[in-house]
Amino acid sequence: MTTRTRRLLRERILVEGMKGSSKSYQWLMLARFLLKRGDGVSFRVIDTDNAIERMLESEFPDLIPEEGGNVYIYPVYEWPEYVEAKNILLREAQQGDWNVIDMADNAWKAVQSYFVSEVYKKDIGDYFLQARIDLRAKGDKTAKGKEAKNLQPMKGWIDWPVVNKLYDDFMLPLVYRSKAHLYMTAGVSVVSRDDDEDTRGLYGPFGVKPTGQKNLAHQVHTEFLFQQGDRQGKWEITTIKDRGRRYYDHAPLLDLPKQYFIGVVGW
């Protein structure tokens, strides 16, 4: 397989880790690397936590479009903004470009809030509070132990098939229809006995799983965990899955473009 052929393969990557683990920093390094190399590709970013603009100003000013850079930011908060940004990415991104969803797990929170506000005309916090009050008033005995932890007593209060369909209408076109590469970031939560068997089987050895909608990790080819190593302040990269490629196992996280895209992918 030639280098040119490898470059044309579409990447779908999920990077998960705690705050400060350089999930965003590494894709910005990739954007800089490709800009300097003159590949002529653009990065279009759905920024869900209003962090990327500050990073551009402070650490990556050369990536600002007005300065000749290749990173275009679409800040989102409310669900209609997610949908609008998705449509822009589908319309503008070309083959070889990169679509980025920075903190993709926030999309799952946003779509639930949107559903509740549209159907019940309430903020989602008030909605769940009232649901809990009503269940208690009815003498519901199931809101204990494991079920209390994962909100199973709320089952039926939200039409989850509808929420998932709204979410899929946003996410799946970016995953499967767009010709651009895809890089997503997410936080992590601890794997517990309450998780299903598949989740425990895949993520149990790592101790953590990506936050967000449960199918997020199934929609990518490559999944990395960025975590703090034994040495204070040093970060490591571990491969959770990467079809047909070399895995990292607690390797020092230094420069993802050089380590992975040159060293493993062959760019």
Side-chain angles (χ1 to χ4, degrees), residues 128-161:
F128 276 119
L129 176 61
Q130 187 60 52
R132 176 65 72 191
I133 292 171
D134 291 348
L135 286 169
R136 185 177 182 88
K138 292 176 182 178
D140 184 1
K141 303 301 184 183
T142 65
K144 297 180 180 179
K146 180 177 70 174
E147 291 187 338
K149 293 179 182 178
N150 60 20
L151 290 180
Q152 283 301 313
M154 302 302 185
K155 189 174 181 180
W157 283 84
I158 284 186
D159 192 337
W160 293 111

Side-chain angles (χ1 to χ4, degrees), residues 14-166:
L14 173 65
V15 175
E16 60 220 44
M18 62 182 292
K19 290 182 179 181
S21 58
S22 83
K23 301 183 295 296
S24 302
Y25 187 87
Q26 293 298 332
W27 74 254
L28 285 163
M29 290 281 287
L30 176 62
R32 174 178 280 168
F33 168 75
L34 295 178
L35 178 66
K36 289 183 175 180
R37 199 169 71 170
D39 283 24
V41 302
S42 296
F43 284 67
R44 291 175 174 82
V45 187
I46 298 178
D47 181 10
T48 74
D49 63 354
N50 197 26
I52 304 306
E53 184 175 7
R54 178 169 292 186
M55 294 184 72
L56 289 185
E57 292 287 347
S58 62
E59 300 181 77
F60 296 89
D62 53 315
L63 302 185
I64 299 173
E66 290 78 10
E67 303 297 329
N70 58 351
V71 173
Y72 300 86
I73 306 172
Y74 304 93
V76 297
Y77 182 74
E78 302 288 351
W79 186 247
E81 296 171 337
Y82 280 79
V83 175
E84 181 181 2
K86 173 207 69 173
N87 291 335
I88 293 173
L89 266 58
L90 291 176
R91 183 171 65 247
E92 300 293 336
Q94 304 297 313
Q95 186 172 12
D97 287 345
W98 284 82
N99 290 331
V100 179
I101 310 178
D102 204 277
M103 301 311 292
D105 45 344
N106 285 338
W108 183 233
K109 302 174 187 175
V111 72
Q112 293 176 67
S113 294
Y114 175 71
F115 175 88
V116 170
S117 66
E118 290 295 302
V119 175
Y120 297 101
K121 308 303 179 185
K122 293 182 178 180
D123 291 336
I124 194 166
D126 292 336
Y127 165 82
F128 276 119
L129 176 61
Q130 187 60 52
R132 176 65 72 191
I133 292 171
D134 291 348
L135 286 169
R136 185 177 182 88
K138 292 176 182 178
D140 184 1
K141 303 301 184 183
T142 65
K144 297 180 180 179
K146 180 177 70 174
E147 291 187 338
K149 293 179 182 178
N150 60 20
L151 290 180
Q152 283 301 313
M154 302 302 185
K155 189 174 181 180
W157 283 84
I158 284 186
D159 192 337
W160 293 111
V162 175
V163 175
N164 275 292
K165 183 65 172 85
L166 288 169

Side-chain angles (χ1 to χ4, degrees), residues 176-200:
Y176 299 115
R177 197 172 85 198
S178 175
K179 295 180 180 180
H181 304 295
L182 180 64
Y183 184 110
M184 299 188 289
T185 68
V188 290
S189 61
V190 175
V191 178
S192 73
R193 294 179 181 179
D194 297 334
D195 289 311
D196 59 53
E197 184 176 352
D198 289 342
T199 299
R200 294 197 309 272

